[in-house]
Amino acid sequence: MNVMDSAPAKSSLMSPESDIQRTQFPYVTGTSVVGIKYKDGILLAADMGGSYGSTIRYKSVERLKPVGKHSLLGASGEISDFQEIMKYLDELILYDNMWDDGNSLGPKEVHNYLTRVMYNRRNKFNPLWNSLVLGGVKNGQKYLGTVSMIGVHYEDNHVATGFGNHLARPILRDEWHENLSYEEGVKLLEKCMRVLLYRDRSAVNKLQIAKITEEGVTISQPYSLKTFWNFSAFQNPTVGAEGSW
Amino acid sequence: MFRNQYDTDVTTWSPAGRLFQVEYAMEAVKQGSAAIGLRSKTHVILASVNKANSELSSHQKKIFKVDDHIGVAIAGLTADGRVLSRYMRTECINYSYSYESPLPVGRLVVQLADKAQVCTQRSWKRPYGVGLLVGGLDESGAHLYYNCPSGNYFEYQAFAIGSRSQAAKTYLERKFETFMESSRESLLKDALFALRETLQGEKLTSSNCTVAVVGVGEAFHTLDKETIQALINEFEIAGEDAPAEVPEEAASDEPAAPEEGAAPADEGAAPMDI
């Protein structure tokens, strides 16, 4: 950038590319999403914070959305980019429904579509600044996968984005199993979200949990977790840490 | 010089409400050598008669694989058929790129029909001169469609197109009610019997026909010569000198089905109804 600024005459040689506006960095962001498979389907959890840089500016951002009948999407990263993605997906589902032929896109199809969109945008050096979690159930098949902002994608029994990868997945690796009931699943997700709340400064104590089964999607009302801050280590965290204030 | 004054242009209506150029294109399908298709719950069979243009040449390919789950058999202008199969292949491959899943057969057929329809409404174009039997398997089971130059498409249990296809249709009409529950083998047998009906003064051999199958657990593929010959031998289908009677149904109850020659019964009707 600096090179171009100091030589404005040259920048016209770079046009029209030099005129294109890209998302160079995210503005309003959401933090981790955590998703697990459970006995009857998929559970996703995300808090409702929207950070403007390091300021937690918004506190009621819905980051879990249904996509058609069979899929559920959770997003972290740039909130407006997520809204753009939802626009693509709603259009996709609309056109799919317009065939009116009994066929419909399942979670696998939507996941692959998202992968293509994300990878295509990164190839234009204009990525959608998100990490996405896609879960769904179709024809008795559970599906849970993730896509990153550059198009990296994989499926797993439990997935997480951002900080969740570091703080939630180790817990899930220890405690997740195939036959989790709905209640156990929610409990496990709450355990993950509580750890994230304690250690991720962007997390807020207002979250939603979404469920998708063969019957359809249910997204919970926002609620808070019980926390306990009176551990002595929390009282004065810098004591004994020389050089910090 | 002209058959009538309303047929110089695809887009010109006759006062009777017909589009003659489109109807002529439908005729092109009838000139081509026969192709038949039939399906059960789980399988679709496509079969065609191979006719060489001359003693010195080989025959043209009439059955094309579109994707693992879809294939077509064509009758009419082979060149047009190839163009359309290439289009179908592209659509399938693009769909699997985007969604990593097979394109539903019904959707491909609608796209194909829309493509054919455009040619009936543009003065600088001509309709495709080819009929396509599209066989495929998707989430909702096995499907057989017929696409024609007019832009219409229909779903069938069993169908035949091309020259002398009426004879095969008669055979299929007599038996189609059992096809849904048929096994792959008996479906193949019916395909060969139906195909034989379209041959005139010729034996059915592995060298004058092509047979292709797609079904549950079986990607679309054409059977090789040995397999076809083995089936012909097994069922003693060869025909001509053999007692033309099909063993289990002695063609009795049906009053001698209208043979090929009777096809012009629908001559007056607008072929678009087909």
Side-chain angles (χ1 to χ4, degrees), chain A residues 8-229:
Chain A
K10 272 194 177 170
S11 72
S12 66
L13 291 175
M14 315 263 303
S15 73
E17 260 179 79
S18 56
D19 301 322
I20 294 174
Q21 292 291 309
R22 299 198 174 88
T23 309
Q24 304 288 349
F25 38 81
Y27 278 83
V28 179
T29 58
T31 184
S32 325
V33 179
V34 184
I36 56 169
K37 286 187 188 172
Y38 78 106
K39 190 156 57 73
D40 305 318
I42 305 293
L43 292 171
L44 256 51
D47 72 37
M48 302 188 76
S51 302
Y52 182 76
S54 50
T55 308
I56 300 170
R57 183 167 170 181
Y58 304 98
K59 296 181 176 177
S60 292
V61 184
E62 292 184 2
R63 297 194 288 125
L64 303 174
K65 297 276 185 190
V67 179
K69 267 190 192 154
H70 313 289
S71 314
L72 189 57
L73 181 64
S76 49
E78 233 298 336
I79 297 299
S80 66
D81 281 358
F82 174 48
Q83 288 165 347
E84 179 82 358
I85 289 170
M86 280 314 298
K87 215 174 77 185
Y88 294 156
L89 289 175
D90 288 342
E91 186 185 68
L92 181 79
I93 297 297
L94 177 69
Y95 278 99
D96 191 53
N97 288 153
M98 278 164 68
W99 281 96
D100 195 23
D101 60 356
N103 293 300
S104 59
L105 295 168
K108 179 181 151 229
E109 285 77 23
V110 176
H111 186 220
N112 196 250
Y113 171 82
L114 284 171
T115 305
R116 298 309 182 194
V117 171
M118 299 303 269
Y119 184 62
N120 183 250
R121 289 290 295 265
R122 88 112 211 199
N123 279 349
K124 291 177 179 157
F125 284 78
N126 187 199
L128 291 161
W129 217 282
N130 301 99
S131 286
L132 305 170
V133 173
L134 194 107
V137 184
K138 193 184 175 189
N139 302 329
Q141 265 319 94
K142 284 175 272 188
Y143 189 98
L144 181 61
T146 163
V147 198
S148 80
M149 120 179 158
I150 54 174
V152 176
H153 60 289
Y154 52 86
E155 274 180 69
D156 213 333
N157 294 321
H158 47 80
V159 296
T161 65
F163 248 96
N165 268 319
H166 303 100
L167 300 179
R169 291 207 64 199
I171 300 172
L172 295 171
R173 283 188 207 108
D174 285 343
E175 300 187 21
W176 181 89
H177 61 90
E178 199 105 37
N179 293 314
L180 286 172
S181 69
Y182 171 67
E183 287 74 18
E184 289 169 329
V186 170
K187 223 176 206 175
L188 184 53
L189 282 179
E190 285 178 352
K191 183 172 184 181
C192 295
M193 295 310 282
R194 186 174 287 109
V195 170
L196 284 162
L197 177 61
Y198 280 134
R199 320 233 80 126
D200 174 1
R201 61 147 170 81
S202 312
V204 299
N205 196 4
K206 183 175 178 185
L207 69 138
Q208 287 179 300
I209 288 190
K211 169 180 88 160
I212 182 163
T213 63
E214 201 75 72
E215 274 72 56
V217 179
T218 345
I219 300 176
S220 79
Q221 287 304 112
Y223 68 102
S224 301
L225 296 170
K226 280 233 163 57
T227 52
F228 181 77
W229 296 95

Side-chain angles (χ1 to χ4, degrees), chain B residues 16-235:
Chain B
R18 297 166 62 174
L19 292 169
F20 283 103
Q21 283 297 328
V22 174
E23 292 180 19
Y24 298 161
M26 302 286 290
E27 288 302 314
V29 179
K30 297 183 190 167
Q31 310 289 330
S33 59
I36 66 155
L38 60 163
R39 64 142 193 166
S40 69
K41 249 185 209 152
T42 54
H43 287 80
V44 190
I45 313 267
L46 297 176
S48 68
V49 176
N50 297 327
K51 282 231 170 61
N53 240 337
S54 83
E55 289 288 310
L56 296 171
S57 79
S58 67
H59 62 82
Q60 281 179 302
K61 211 174 157 192
K62 279 170 62 75
I63 294 188
F64 300 94
K65 178 174 177 160
V66 173
D67 201 344
D68 278 345
H69 69 299
I70 298 180
V72 288
I74 60 167
L77 299 187
T78 317
D80 286 9
R82 282 202 326 272
V83 168
L84 290 176
S85 350
R86 185 179 59 204
Y87 167 75
M88 292 164 83
R89 283 173 177 169
T90 314
E91 290 304 308
C92 279
I93 220 159
N94 285 342
Y95 192 92
S96 22
Y97 176 73
S98 294
Y99 306 109
E100 212 169 81
S101 69
L103 174 59
V105 189
R107 294 196 180 176
L108 179 62
V109 164
V110 171
Q111 286 180 278
L112 186 65
D114 288 352
K115 197 173 159 67
Q117 192 280 336
V118 168
C119 300
T120 68
Q121 217 176 6
R122 301 280 183 274
S123 60
W124 63 91
K125 293 192 169 183
R126 72 162 172 82
Y128 289 102
V130 70
L132 299 99
L133 288 173
V134 184
L137 190 73
D138 59 28
E139 250 179 54
S140 51
H143 299 282
L144 175 68
Y145 290 92
Y146 171 52
N147 274 78
C148 51
S150 63
N152 282 311
Y153 67 95
F154 308 91
E155 186 163 14
Y156 284 97
Q157 293 286 352
F159 199 50
I161 54 173
S163 66
R164 292 181 52 79
S165 60
Q166 187 53 50
K169 268 186 266 183
T170 307
Y171 175 88
L172 294 168
E173 277 162 18
R174 217 159 52 211
K175 300 204 68 181
F176 79 94
E177 270 152 292
T178 63
F179 289 170
M180 262 326 239
E181 307 301 324
S182 280
S183 68
R184 178 184 183 275
E185 271 56 44
S186 78
L187 216 55
L188 273 171
K189 184 174 160 185
D190 282 317
L192 289 167
F193 272 118
L195 203 61
R196 187 187 64 181
E197 301 292 311
T198 69
L199 295 172
Q200 200 168 33
E202 212 185 332
K203 269 190 167 180
L204 182 69
T205 68
S206 57
S207 49
N208 62 12
C209 69
T210 309
V211 182
V213 189
V214 60
V216 173
E218 189 176 13
F220 185 90
H221 65 114
T222 53
L223 302 182
D224 56 39
K225 270 194 163 181
E226 294 74 47
T227 316
I228 297 173
Q229 193 58 53
L231 286 167
I232 293 173
N233 296 339
E234 186 187 341
F235 304 138

